[in-house]
Amino acid sequence: MELYLTLGGRPAIAAAAERLNKRLRLDSGFGGSSRALPAPYLEDLTEFLVFVTGGAPVYEGRPVSKLLRPLCPSQEAFEVLVDHVVTVLIGRERRPTEEAQLRVLLEHVRPLVLSAREETPAHAGQPFQRLTVVA
């Protein structure tokens, strides 16, 4: 719960999820789409971030694999997504303790997100692109 409180609680995390939505739309690696993530998807993303930072004892949104897999078709995309999440939650000041803690927490979900994609994906060798999120 300490990280959750340090980051500013639910209001700060909800605002960070909105900023993440904007960052992903501007990042050409994620498709550079002007289309925002659907509201129910953004709500689940917020709930996941609240949970992963210690602000909720359970996460009851869509499964993490279904939540993040559309955004992370590869290891590279997962790394970029984590960088974006760290930036929107911690900011540019990069408080080392909070950043390290957040990266470790997000690393725990990597296998859930990428497990089905470990076989050679059809897009191997191509730059990753954000996939359309279906609610």
Side-chain angles (χ1 to χ4, degrees), residues 38-48 59:
Y41 183 90
L42 199 54
E43 289 169 16
D44 283 346
L45 183 59
T46 299
E47 291 306 313
F48 169 72
Y59 169 68

Side-chain angles (χ1 to χ4, degrees), residues 95-108:
R95 298 182 307 253
T97 303
E98 289 86 6
E99 180 176 351
Q101 189 177 7
L102 182 56
R103 287 183 183 279
V104 166
L105 292 168
L106 292 171
E107 192 59 36
H108 288 290

Side-chain angles (χ1 to χ4, degrees), residues 61-113:
R62 74 185 74 208
V64 173
S65 60
K66 291 183 179 180
L67 180 68
L68 298 180
R69 197 172 287 157
L71 299 174
C72 302
S74 67
Q75 295 283 348
E76 177 188 32
F78 186 84
E79 293 293 331
V80 172
L81 179 65
V82 168
D83 288 343
H84 283 310
V85 169
V86 167
T87 299
V88 299
L89 283 173
I90 295 178
R92 294 199 171 124
E93 63 217 37
R94 297 286 201 217
R95 298 182 307 253
T97 303
E98 289 86 6
E99 180 176 351
Q101 189 177 7
L102 182 56
R103 287 183 183 279
V104 166
L105 292 168
L106 292 171
E107 192 59 36
H108 288 290
V109 301
R110 181 189 296 263
L112 299 172
V113 176

